[in-house]
PDB file of all heavy atoms in Angstrom:
ATOM      1  N   PRO E  64    -157.547  47.039-106.027  1.00  0.00           N
ATOM      2  CA  PRO E  64    -158.169  47.542-107.236  1.00  0.00           C
ATOM      3  C   PRO E  64    -157.302  48.619-107.847  1.00  0.00           C
ATOM      4  O   PRO E  64    -157.139  48.689-109.092  1.00  0.00           O
ATOM      5  CB  PRO E  64    -159.457  48.108-106.837  1.00  0.00           C
ATOM      6  CG  PRO E  64    -159.802  47.310-105.601  1.00  0.00           C
ATOM      7  CD  PRO E  64    -158.522  47.030-104.927  1.00  0.00           C
ATOM      8  N   ASN E  67    -154.198  47.012-109.414  1.00  0.00           N
ATOM      9  CA  ASN E  67    -154.632  46.380-110.651  1.00  0.00           C
ATOM     10  C   ASN E  67    -154.622  47.384-111.805  1.00  0.00           C
ATOM     11  O   ASN E  67    -154.265  47.113-112.908  1.00  0.00           O
ATOM     12  CB  ASN E  67    -156.014  45.769-110.486  1.00  0.00           C
ATOM     13  CG  ASN E  67    -155.998  44.552-109.596  1.00  0.00           C
ATOM     14  OD1 ASN E  67    -154.914  44.050-109.244  1.00  0.00           O
ATOM     15  ND2 ASN E  67    -157.214  44.144-109.123  1.00  0.00           N
ATOM     16  N   ASP E 135    -162.251  31.350-112.572  1.00  0.00           N
ATOM     17  CA  ASP E 135    -162.643  32.570-113.157  1.00  0.00           C
ATOM     18  C   ASP E 135    -162.404  32.586-114.635  1.00  0.00           C
ATOM     19  O   ASP E 135    -161.287  32.269-115.055  1.00  0.00           O
ATOM     20  CB  ASP E 135    -161.893  33.759-112.540  1.00  0.00           C
ATOM     21  CG  ASP E 135    -162.308  35.138-113.015  1.00  0.00           C
ATOM     22  OD1 ASP E 135    -162.004  35.494-114.147  1.00  0.00           O
ATOM     23  OD2 ASP E 135    -163.062  35.828-112.222  1.00  0.00           O
ATOM     24  N   TYR E 137    -162.089  34.991-116.933  1.00  0.00           N
ATOM     25  CA  TYR E 137    -161.090  35.874-117.370  1.00  0.00           C
ATOM     26  C   TYR E 137    -159.695  35.404-117.100  1.00  0.00           C
ATOM     27  O   TYR E 137    -158.802  35.459-117.912  1.00  0.00           O
ATOM     28  CB  TYR E 137    -161.301  37.300-116.728  1.00  0.00           C
ATOM     29  CG  TYR E 137    -162.483  38.046-117.308  1.00  0.00           C
ATOM     30  CD1 TYR E 137    -163.685  37.993-116.646  1.00  0.00           C
ATOM     31  CD2 TYR E 137    -162.358  38.743-118.452  1.00  0.00           C
ATOM     32  CE1 TYR E 137    -164.785  38.702-117.118  1.00  0.00           C
ATOM     33  CE2 TYR E 137    -163.425  39.431-118.970  1.00  0.00           C
ATOM     34  CZ  TYR E 137    -164.628  39.412-118.335  1.00  0.00           C
ATOM     35  OH  TYR E 137    -165.671  40.048-118.845  1.00  0.00           O
ATOM     36  N   ASN E 140    -159.086  32.487-119.538  1.00  0.00           N
ATOM     37  CA  ASN E 140    -158.783  32.962-120.893  1.00  0.00           C
ATOM     38  C   ASN E 140    -157.481  33.484-121.131  1.00  0.00           C
ATOM     39  O   ASN E 140    -156.730  33.306-122.063  1.00  0.00           O
ATOM     40  CB  ASN E 140    -159.884  34.017-121.289  1.00  0.00           C
ATOM     41  CG  ASN E 140    -161.286  33.387-121.472  1.00  0.00           C
ATOM     42  OD1 ASN E 140    -161.423  32.143-121.457  1.00  0.00           O
ATOM     43  ND2 ASN E 140    -162.224  34.254-121.673  1.00  0.00           N
ATOM     44  N   ASN E 238    -163.257  45.805-138.736  1.00  0.00           N
ATOM     45  CA  ASN E 238    -162.321  44.787-138.722  1.00  0.00           C
ATOM     46  C   ASN E 238    -162.779  43.558-139.455  1.00  0.00           C
ATOM     47  O   ASN E 238    -161.997  42.784-140.082  1.00  0.00           O
ATOM     48  CB  ASN E 238    -161.986  44.444-137.273  1.00  0.00           C
ATOM     49  CG  ASN E 238    -161.159  45.407-136.641  1.00  0.00           C
ATOM     50  OD1 ASN E 238    -160.680  46.323-137.330  1.00  0.00           O
ATOM     51  ND2 ASN E 238    -161.044  45.420-135.304  1.00  0.00           N
TER      52      ASN E 238
ATOM     53  P    DG D  12    -167.308  52.899-107.363  1.00  0.00           P
ATOM     54  OP1  DG D  12    -167.272  54.116-108.128  1.00  0.00           O
ATOM     55  OP2  DG D  12    -168.553  52.286-106.941  1.00  0.00           O
ATOM     56  O5'  DG D  12    -166.529  51.804-108.244  1.00  0.00           O
ATOM     57  C5'  DG D  12    -165.142  52.051-108.699  1.00  0.00           C
ATOM     58  C4'  DG D  12    -164.637  50.796-109.210  1.00  0.00           C
ATOM     59  O4'  DG D  12    -164.406  49.868-108.095  1.00  0.00           O
ATOM     60  C3'  DG D  12    -165.557  50.011-110.184  1.00  0.00           C
ATOM     61  O3'  DG D  12    -164.791  49.606-111.278  1.00  0.00           O
ATOM     62  C2'  DG D  12    -166.076  48.804-109.385  1.00  0.00           C
ATOM     63  C1'  DG D  12    -164.837  48.580-108.480  1.00  0.00           C
ATOM     64  N9   DG D  12    -165.118  47.886-107.169  1.00  0.00           N
ATOM     65  C8   DG D  12    -166.352  47.726-106.612  1.00  0.00           C
ATOM     66  N7   DG D  12    -166.249  47.070-105.498  1.00  0.00           N
ATOM     67  C5   DG D  12    -164.871  46.738-105.426  1.00  0.00           C
ATOM     68  C6   DG D  12    -164.257  45.946-104.423  1.00  0.00           C
ATOM     69  O6   DG D  12    -164.676  45.369-103.391  1.00  0.00           O
ATOM     70  N1   DG D  12    -162.872  45.822-104.763  1.00  0.00           N
ATOM     71  C2   DG D  12    -162.258  46.341-105.758  1.00  0.00           C
ATOM     72  N2   DG D  12    -160.981  46.129-105.924  1.00  0.00           N
ATOM     73  N3   DG D  12    -162.948  47.044-106.741  1.00  0.00           N
ATOM     74  C4   DG D  12    -164.233  47.227-106.470  1.00  0.00           C
ATOM     75  P    DG D  13    -165.538  49.541-112.693  1.00  0.00           P
ATOM     76  OP1  DG D  13    -165.908  50.942-113.005  1.00  0.00           O
ATOM     77  OP2  DG D  13    -166.567  48.498-112.620  1.00  0.00           O
ATOM     78  O5'  DG D  13    -164.425  49.052-113.665  1.00  0.00           O
ATOM     79  C5'  DG D  13    -163.186  49.870-113.865  1.00  0.00           C
ATOM     80  C4'  DG D  13    -161.986  48.895-113.824  1.00  0.00           C
ATOM     81  O4'  DG D  13    -161.875  48.393-112.477  1.00  0.00           O
ATOM     82  C3'  DG D  13    -162.178  47.666-114.671  1.00  0.00           C
ATOM     83  O3'  DG D  13    -161.438  47.940-115.894  1.00  0.00           O
ATOM     84  C2'  DG D  13    -161.518  46.546-113.965  1.00  0.00           C
ATOM     85  C1'  DG D  13    -161.465  47.005-112.523  1.00  0.00           C
ATOM     86  N9   DG D  13    -162.340  46.349-111.598  1.00  0.00           N
ATOM     87  C8   DG D  13    -163.677  46.260-111.566  1.00  0.00           C
ATOM     88  N7   DG D  13    -164.102  45.555-110.550  1.00  0.00           N
ATOM     89  C5   DG D  13    -162.979  45.202-109.871  1.00  0.00           C
ATOM     90  C6   DG D  13    -162.888  44.387-108.672  1.00  0.00           C
ATOM     91  O6   DG D  13    -163.821  43.868-108.001  1.00  0.00           O
ATOM     92  N1   DG D  13    -161.492  44.284-108.310  1.00  0.00           N
ATOM     93  C2   DG D  13    -160.481  44.755-108.992  1.00  0.00           C
ATOM     94  N2   DG D  13    -159.304  44.474-108.461  1.00  0.00           N
ATOM     95  N3   DG D  13    -160.576  45.484-110.076  1.00  0.00           N
ATOM     96  C4   DG D  13    -161.849  45.662-110.470  1.00  0.00           C
ATOM     97  P    DG D  14    -161.821  47.300-117.227  1.00  0.00           P
ATOM     98  OP1  DG D  14    -161.218  48.114-118.217  1.00  0.00           O
ATOM     99  OP2  DG D  14    -163.281  47.047-117.262  1.00  0.00           O
ATOM    100  O5'  DG D  14    -161.109  45.907-117.170  1.00  0.00           O
ATOM    101  C5'  DG D  14    -159.683  45.833-117.122  1.00  0.00           C
ATOM    102  C4'  DG D  14    -159.251  44.375-117.292  1.00  0.00           C
ATOM    103  O4'  DG D  14    -160.113  43.613-116.368  1.00  0.00           O
ATOM    104  C3'  DG D  14    -159.369  43.869-118.735  1.00  0.00           C
ATOM    105  O3'  DG D  14    -158.132  43.320-119.068  1.00  0.00           O
ATOM    106  C2'  DG D  14    -160.509  42.845-118.683  1.00  0.00           C
ATOM    107  C1'  DG D  14    -160.555  42.445-117.208  1.00  0.00           C
ATOM    108  N9   DG D  14    -161.866  42.172-116.715  1.00  0.00           N
ATOM    109  C8   DG D  14    -163.038  42.891-116.802  1.00  0.00           C
ATOM    110  N7   DG D  14    -164.025  42.332-116.325  1.00  0.00           N
ATOM    111  C5   DG D  14    -163.598  41.190-115.701  1.00  0.00           C
ATOM    112  C6   DG D  14    -164.187  40.188-114.882  1.00  0.00           C
ATOM    113  O6   DG D  14    -165.406  40.139-114.663  1.00  0.00           O
ATOM    114  N1   DG D  14    -163.307  39.196-114.514  1.00  0.00           N
ATOM    115  C2   DG D  14    -161.981  39.170-114.783  1.00  0.00           C
ATOM    116  N2   DG D  14    -161.309  38.193-114.294  1.00  0.00           N
ATOM    117  N3   DG D  14    -161.387  40.119-115.436  1.00  0.00           N
ATOM    118  C4   DG D  14    -162.208  41.070-115.924  1.00  0.00           C
ATOM    119  P    DT D  15    -157.851  43.230-120.601  1.00  0.00           P
ATOM    120  OP1  DT D  15    -156.365  43.412-120.641  1.00  0.00           O
ATOM    121  OP2  DT D  15    -158.735  44.006-121.384  1.00  0.00           O
ATOM    122  O5'  DT D  15    -158.189  41.642-120.890  1.00  0.00           O
ATOM    123  C5'  DT D  15    -157.393  40.654-120.273  1.00  0.00           C
ATOM    124  C4'  DT D  15    -157.805  39.292-120.874  1.00  0.00           C
ATOM    125  O4'  DT D  15    -159.095  38.957-120.479  1.00  0.00           O
ATOM    126  C3'  DT D  15    -157.804  39.291-122.415  1.00  0.00           C
ATOM    127  O3'  DT D  15    -156.519  39.153-122.890  1.00  0.00           O
ATOM    128  C2'  DT D  15    -158.692  38.075-122.663  1.00  0.00           C
ATOM    129  C1'  DT D  15    -159.657  38.139-121.469  1.00  0.00           C
ATOM    130  N1   DT D  15    -160.987  38.629-121.877  1.00  0.00           N
ATOM    131  C2   DT D  15    -161.904  37.770-122.369  1.00  0.00           C
ATOM    132  O2   DT D  15    -161.680  36.568-122.510  1.00  0.00           O
ATOM    133  N3   DT D  15    -163.079  38.257-122.655  1.00  0.00           N
ATOM    134  C4   DT D  15    -163.495  39.638-122.612  1.00  0.00           C
ATOM    135  O4   DT D  15    -164.593  39.971-122.901  1.00  0.00           O
ATOM    136  C5   DT D  15    -162.426  40.498-122.129  1.00  0.00           C
ATOM    137  C7   DT D  15    -162.707  41.934-121.927  1.00  0.00           C
ATOM    138  C6   DT D  15    -161.284  39.997-121.720  1.00  0.00           C
ATOM    139  P    DA D  17    -156.398  38.689-129.879  1.00  0.00           P
ATOM    140  OP1  DA D  17    -155.382  37.851-130.535  1.00  0.00           O
ATOM    141  OP2  DA D  17    -156.027  39.948-129.166  1.00  0.00           O
ATOM    142  O5'  DA D  17    -157.627  39.003-130.796  1.00  0.00           O
ATOM    143  C5'  DA D  17    -158.036  38.050-131.697  1.00  0.00           C
ATOM    144  C4'  DA D  17    -158.603  38.789-132.965  1.00  0.00           C
ATOM    145  O4'  DA D  17    -159.643  39.640-132.423  1.00  0.00           O
ATOM    146  C3'  DA D  17    -157.628  39.675-133.616  1.00  0.00           C
ATOM    147  O3'  DA D  17    -157.184  39.044-134.795  1.00  0.00           O
ATOM    148  C2'  DA D  17    -158.389  40.998-133.945  1.00  0.00           C
ATOM    149  C1'  DA D  17    -159.631  40.851-133.147  1.00  0.00           C
ATOM    150  N9   DA D  17    -159.822  41.887-132.138  1.00  0.00           N
ATOM    151  C8   DA D  17    -159.115  42.121-131.022  1.00  0.00           C
ATOM    152  N7   DA D  17    -159.531  43.185-130.314  1.00  0.00           N
ATOM    153  C5   DA D  17    -160.570  43.682-131.135  1.00  0.00           C
ATOM    154  C6   DA D  17    -161.347  44.834-130.948  1.00  0.00           C
ATOM    155  N6   DA D  17    -161.315  45.671-129.927  1.00  0.00           N
ATOM    156  N1   DA D  17    -162.222  45.129-131.971  1.00  0.00           N
ATOM    157  C2   DA D  17    -162.308  44.272-133.045  1.00  0.00           C
ATOM    158  N3   DA D  17    -161.614  43.196-133.238  1.00  0.00           N
ATOM    159  C4   DA D  17    -160.729  42.991-132.188  1.00  0.00           C
ATOM    160  P    DC D  20    -150.559  41.502-144.905  1.00  0.00           P
ATOM    161  OP1  DC D  20    -150.491  41.213-146.317  1.00  0.00           O
ATOM    162  OP2  DC D  20    -150.834  40.491-143.922  1.00  0.00           O
ATOM    163  O5'  DC D  20    -149.238  42.221-144.458  1.00  0.00           O
ATOM    164  C5'  DC D  20    -148.467  42.899-145.498  1.00  0.00           C
ATOM    165  C4'  DC D  20    -147.136  43.250-144.923  1.00  0.00           C
ATOM    166  O4'  DC D  20    -147.259  43.663-143.524  1.00  0.00           O
ATOM    167  C3'  DC D  20    -146.130  42.108-144.997  1.00  0.00           C
ATOM    168  O3'  DC D  20    -144.981  42.542-145.704  1.00  0.00           O
ATOM    169  C2'  DC D  20    -145.801  41.800-143.590  1.00  0.00           C
ATOM    170  C1'  DC D  20    -146.299  43.010-142.743  1.00  0.00           C
ATOM    171  N1   DC D  20    -147.002  42.507-141.466  1.00  0.00           N
ATOM    172  C2   DC D  20    -146.219  42.479-140.263  1.00  0.00           C
ATOM    173  O2   DC D  20    -144.991  42.879-140.344  1.00  0.00           O
ATOM    174  N3   DC D  20    -146.744  42.058-139.178  1.00  0.00           N
ATOM    175  C4   DC D  20    -148.059  41.699-139.148  1.00  0.00           C
ATOM    176  N4   DC D  20    -148.521  41.245-138.021  1.00  0.00           N
ATOM    177  C5   DC D  20    -148.787  41.704-140.322  1.00  0.00           C
ATOM    178  C6   DC D  20    -148.226  42.086-141.483  1.00  0.00           C
TER     179       DC D  20
END
Side-chain angles (χ1 to χ4, degrees):
Chain E
N67 291 345
D135 184 286
Y137 286 97
N140 291 352
N238 287 347

